[in-house]
Amino acid sequence: TCPLCRARFPSESEQLRIIQSKAEEGKAWAQYKLGFMFSKGLLGVIADDRKAELLVRKAVDQGYSNAQFYLGLLELSRDNHSEARRLFETAASQGHMSAVGQLGTLYLLRDGVERDDTKAVRLLTISAKLQKTDSSVHANLGHCFVPGAGGLEMSLVRAVHYMKSDIETNEMPSAN
């Protein structure tokens, strides 16, 4: 029971039925969610990577940023860096902060893009500032201070500070 409205939570089978119905209606959020469920075998769905990707792609085609980010990660795992970058850029342009951080990481590590430390630092800083719980973004930003990348002055103290995975709040540097 919901503690706020006292409504009964739907059972797993009811949740699945609702999501499937909304996905069939063409709702991007439901297509993405159902695709994710097929990728992980959640709520009694048998894992099926092919079905998962088809559903996620439908949500991507509708411009759903969570699906764009997820598919970007999938393309990255397949070493299709140019398509991953395109998907991350599209999701980032809609304000998806994980995509912004992932894009910064691509520029930092030269994964399918020309290395651009300044762009990497700018994107990682934006993502870290707005997404304080993503330790990988903080760690990658920390690495930028070790060689003094992207116009940042070398600072081992700041590098260690950002590399900590349990950062709750912090003050972000300026890129230049």
Side-chain angles (χ1 to χ4, degrees):
T1 304
C2 174
L4 300 175
C5 69
R6 304 287 183 222
R8 181 183 64 80
F9 286 126
S11 67
E12 286 189 0
S13 62
E14 290 172 315
Q15 291 175 45
L16 178 59
R17 184 187 52 73
I18 291 166
I19 293 167
Q20 285 175 322
S21 171
K22 295 297 181 185
E24 288 168 6
E25 290 174 17
K27 303 290 185 191
W29 67 266
Q31 291 167 334
Y32 164 70
K33 190 164 189 85
L34 188 57
F36 186 79
M37 290 164 57
F38 271 109
S39 75
K40 305 291 183 194
L42 302 174
L43 289 182
V45 171
I46 296 171
D48 184 330
D49 290 337
R50 191 182 61 74
K51 280 184 182 178
E53 187 173 343
L54 287 172
L55 284 160
V56 170
R57 284 189 184 279
K58 286 182 179 184
V60 165
D61 290 344
Q62 293 185 63
Y64 192 62
S65 65
N66 285 341
Q68 292 161 341
F69 175 70
Y70 183 78
L71 190 57
L73 292 176
L74 181 61
E75 294 297 346
L76 197 58
S77 74
R78 295 174 174 166
D79 289 330
N80 187 352
H81 298 273
S82 60
E83 180 62 7
R85 181 183 55 114
R86 185 190 71 76
L87 288 159
F88 292 144
E89 285 175 344
T90 305
S93 72
Q94 296 177 62
H96 196 289
M97 284 300 109
S98 293
V100 172
Q102 192 64 49
L103 199 53
T105 300
L106 289 179
Y107 283 109
L108 181 66
L109 302 177
R110 287 182 280 197
D111 279 343
V113 297
E114 188 172 321
R115 184 171 176 139
D116 186 333
D117 290 341
T118 302
K119 192 178 274 190
V121 168
R122 183 175 54 80
L123 292 168
L124 289 168
T125 299
I126 290 167
S127 182
K129 190 173 192 176
L130 297 173
Q131 196 175 250
K132 297 185 188 307
T133 59
D134 188 342
S135 62
S136 66
V137 169
H138 292 275
N140 289 332
L141 183 57
H143 285 289
C144 293
F145 283 99
V146 175
L152 295 178
E153 188 175 313
M154 186 172 164
S155 169
L156 293 178
V157 172
R158 280 191 162 177
V160 170
H161 172 75
Y162 288 111
M163 288 182 195
K164 287 182 179 178
S165 62
D166 60 342
I167 296 173
E168 293 294 326
T169 60
N170 53 48
E171 188 175 310
M172 293 295 126
S174 60
N176 282 343

